[in-house]
Amino acid sequence: GAVVSQHPSRVICKSGTSVKIECRSLDFQATTMFWYRQFPKKSLMLMATSNEGSKATYEQGVEKDKFLINHASLTLSTLTVTSAHPEDSSFYICSARDPGTATGELFFGEGSRLTVL
Amino acid sequence: DAKTTQPNSMESNEEEPVHLPCNHSTISGTDYIHWYRQLPSQGPEYVIHGLTSNVNNRMASLAIAEDRKSSTLILHRATLRDAAVYYCILRDWVKTSYDKVIFGPGTSLSVIP
């Protein structure tokens, strides 16, 4: 089946630094990827829709200058948390749909746990 | 967007069947019913999907009401590894190339040894 991979799975950084998380579709091309964040014992919250070759679409309340999304190729989207602070600590998850499947099931990365000290 | 409602939590004994309900009374004719589950500290994984007919796969069965306003995910024999949060989601097959997915709170399934 389709596979989506995230890297790194865990990252710890100091407050004020920037962190980049990569999301790759390994065996299919994804023109659209989705980024979510998840706090403990909460559901996934959609942050933005990443579109290959164009600007990302951010959900209301998500700072686009804080969470930079780049979708430079059909297999790679990156999320950069700029000037990270402890409140940005969270579990970040990406997902993509395999266009080869007609019924729209999504495939998710393993998630990236960010801890900001 | 058509919404779904699920119980917040359920419990099951190990090796017993589990029926996880989902209500989607505003479902449209082009919506597929998808189920995903999320194990602790992992990204969600696809479980099963259906449109009108009941569906079976190696992970689970999906029973869809005749009016499509509700569905039930069936785990035939719960194991400890099935303890997860289960999400019921509607996916419009006409818009799936760009349609974003909003997750509700899902059902947290606990499996008792």
Side-chain angles (χ1 to χ4, degrees), chain A residues 2-4 23-26 28-36 46-59 69-78 93-101 104-109, chain B residues 91 95-101:
Chain A
V3 177
V4 173
C23 178
R24 294 181 185 275
S25 55
L26 298 185
F28 65 96
Q29 295 182 329
T31 55
T32 303
M33 291 184 177
F34 304 96
W35 286 96
Y36 296 85
L46 181 65
M47 299 174 66
T49 303
S50 172
N51 304 299
E52 188 269 335
S54 64
K55 291 182 180 180
T57 305
Y58 289 82
E59 294 299 301
I69 291 173
N70 184 286
H71 195 150
S73 78
L74 287 171
T75 58
L76 174 64
S77 175
T78 60
I93 305 167
C94 70
S95 73
R97 186 185 78 87
D98 181 354
T101 61
E105 55 262 44
L106 288 173
F107 298 93
F108 292 82
Chain B
R91 296 280 284 152
K95 299 190 290 182
T96 53
S97 62
Y98 54 88
D99 194 28
K100 58 190 181 184
V101 175

Side-chain angles (χ1 to χ4, degrees), chain B residues 63-79:
Chain B
I64 301 173
E66 198 169 331
D67 63 4
R68 300 209 326 126
K69 293 185 177 181
S70 65
S71 61
T72 302
L73 179 71
I74 302 167
L75 307 179
H76 296 285
R77 287 183 67 209
T79 70

Side-chain angles (χ1 to χ4, degrees), chain A residues 11-50:
Chain A
V11 57
I12 300 172
C13 70
K14 293 181 179 179
S15 186
T17 60
S18 295
V19 175
K20 180 185 286 187
I21 300 169
E22 294 185 345
C23 178
R24 294 181 185 275
S25 55
L26 298 185
D27 52 1
F28 65 96
Q29 295 182 329
T31 55
T32 303
M33 291 184 177
F34 304 96
W35 286 96
Y36 296 85
R37 67 185 300 184
Q38 185 175 35
F39 293 108
K41 300 195 183 300
K42 299 293 186 182
S43 186
L44 287 79
M45 183 189 80
L46 181 65
M47 299 174 66
T49 303
S50 172

